[in-house]
Amino acid sequence: MTSPASDDVPDYAPVPPSALGPALNDQGYYVGRVERNLYWVTDGVYNSAFLTTPDGVVLFDAPPSIGHNLQRAVDEIAAAEGVSNRVTHLVYSHHHADHGAASSLFGTDVVRIGHEDTRRLLLRDDDPTRPAPEVTFGDSYTLEVGGERVELAWHGPNHTPDNIYIHFPDHDTLMFIDVVNAGWVPIYNTNLSEDVIGYMGAPAIALSYPWTHLISGHVGRLATRDDVAVHQQYIADIEASSREALASVNPVPFYVNAGANVWLGIKGHLNAVTEAAAAPVIAKYTGVLAAADIAEFTNTTTFAIMQSLRLDKGPSGPVHP
């Protein structure tokens, strides 16, 4: 198992066995077959994927926490299957360093591919560990290497402005990063996502694709369609609870008690709404999704969704007469 025993952290709920993935090897990674010549690699916290072809290996994301173990995983499979271990292409799911900062390990001869905003953002960030992709696209791109086909698509901003859907139609698999964590709650602020409305709608787009296996970028196992459905219900429960709390928590006492310090009034009001909205969700999902009992995660995700309801969907509140 990739997580410590619950006895090691007695102040927290045990991690449900369903949230755990396979054991890591002595070098700190696990590599397994998804379908046919598509493989996935994990260090228990991050995951990546690669496709072996007669013309070389296509790597999908390069998390630095896996780092040189990416090539070791490729070497392991190549030796077992009698195929090339040379990485010829690298696809960025999005521009974030935690999923791409091992890209430079593969040298300058690799063809890097990503959304046009990924190139723009990587050029802006000027990080030598993440060379900008030379091949870019706007809405969709079909990658064909060694007789294999991968469909890349952008359906609008979600976790980031450039986060894409990577579909392997011949491998019954979708790779979609940083939205659903298989068996776990999102971490702070909807997985640190930049577009809350896009984040909330992204799982439905993911489910519109035909697939059985989901490579989600984090934690130690592959996700299923059921995992996505549980995630959707968790988010839907937060939205419903936030709407109820916004309507039921009276803001007036917080502003009256704060006097001239209006920011203190806002703090009291919004904290009260957040706590009222998050509490039933934490109770419902503790024991169902790992880390649901870590209040900061559900509280901050609730705050982000509650604020998006006020600011994006509206109305924010009653109009002054």
Side-chain angles (χ1 to χ4, degrees):
M1 295 298 185
T2 59
S3 291
S6 60
D7 291 344
D8 294 339
V9 281
D11 294 335
Y12 295 93
V15 174
S18 60
L20 300 176
L24 307 180
N25 63 19
D26 291 341
Q27 292 174 302
Y29 72 89
Y30 169 84
V31 58
R33 190 190 307 272
V34 183
E35 291 277 350
R36 297 195 303 109
N37 57 330
L38 176 64
Y39 300 87
W40 72 293
V41 188
T42 184
D43 62 0
V45 180
Y46 283 84
N47 52 65
S48 176
F50 63 90
L51 191 63
T52 62
T53 83
D55 295 339
V57 176
V58 184
L59 180 63
F60 299 87
D61 276 353
S65 70
I66 305 178
H68 288 279
N69 279 339
L70 290 168
Q71 186 64 60
R72 294 186 184 103
V74 169
D75 292 346
E76 177 182 333
I77 296 301
E81 301 295 327
V83 296
S84 172
N85 68 342
R86 185 170 68 92
V87 175
T88 59
H89 296 71
L90 191 155
V91 176
Y92 288 114
S93 64
H94 64 302
H95 72 285
H96 278 171
D98 62 328
H99 292 275
S103 174
S104 60
L105 298 180
F106 297 91
T108 59
D109 293 335
V110 171
V111 177
R112 291 174 171 82
I113 303 157
H115 189 261
E116 58 191 22
D117 274 347
T118 301
R119 177 174 173 81
R120 175 182 63 81
L121 292 164
L122 289 180
L123 290 174
R124 178 202 67 180
D125 295 343
D126 193 24
D127 178 0
T129 70
R130 291 173 287 158
E134 303 90 355
V135 178
T136 64
F137 64 95
D139 293 333
S140 63
Y141 181 82
T142 299
L143 173 63
E144 295 181 293
V145 179
E148 300 292 344
R149 175 172 60 100
V150 184
E151 300 291 346
L152 313 179
W154 179 80
H155 295 293
N158 46 78
H159 172 64
T160 61
D162 59 325
N163 199 29
I164 62 171
Y165 298 73
I166 303 169
H167 187 220
F168 302 87
D170 301 321
H171 298 82
D172 200 17
T173 299
L174 182 72
M175 184 171 181
F176 182 53
I177 304 302
D178 278 343
V179 173
V180 175
N181 303 330
W184 296 73
V185 298
I187 63 165
Y188 304 95
N189 299 313
T190 61
N191 270 351
L192 306 177
S193 295
E194 298 177 38
D195 189 308
V196 175
I197 297 299
Y199 173 90
M200 293 171 69
I205 297 173
L207 288 173
S208 72
Y209 284 86
W211 55 268
T212 298
H213 318 286
L214 176 68
I215 301 165
S216 62
H218 280 285
V219 303
R221 70 169 175 85
L222 297 174
T224 66
R225 299 182 79 89
D226 285 345
D227 288 318
V228 178
V230 172
H231 168 89
Q232 285 180 301
Q233 189 58 57
Y234 170 83
I235 296 297
D237 287 344
I238 290 176
E239 179 177 2
S241 191
S242 295
R243 290 185 184 279
E244 181 178 344
L246 281 167
S248 62
V249 173
N250 181 9
V252 174
F254 299 101
Y255 295 97
V256 170
N257 292 337
N261 192 342
V262 292
W263 265 202
L264 179 60
I266 289 174
K267 173 182 180 293
H269 174 216
L270 296 185
N271 282 355
V273 172
T274 300
E275 290 166 10
V281 179
I282 292 170
K284 177 178 178 178
Y285 287 92
T286 295
V288 177
L289 290 175
D293 62 307
I294 300 177
E296 292 89 341
F297 291 160
T298 298
N299 281 346
T300 57
T301 288
T302 299
F303 181 85
I305 289 174
M306 179 263 291
Q307 288 304 300
S308 182
L309 292 176
R310 293 178 59 245
L311 304 177
D312 297 323
K313 289 194 172 183
S316 178
V319 176
H320 191 280

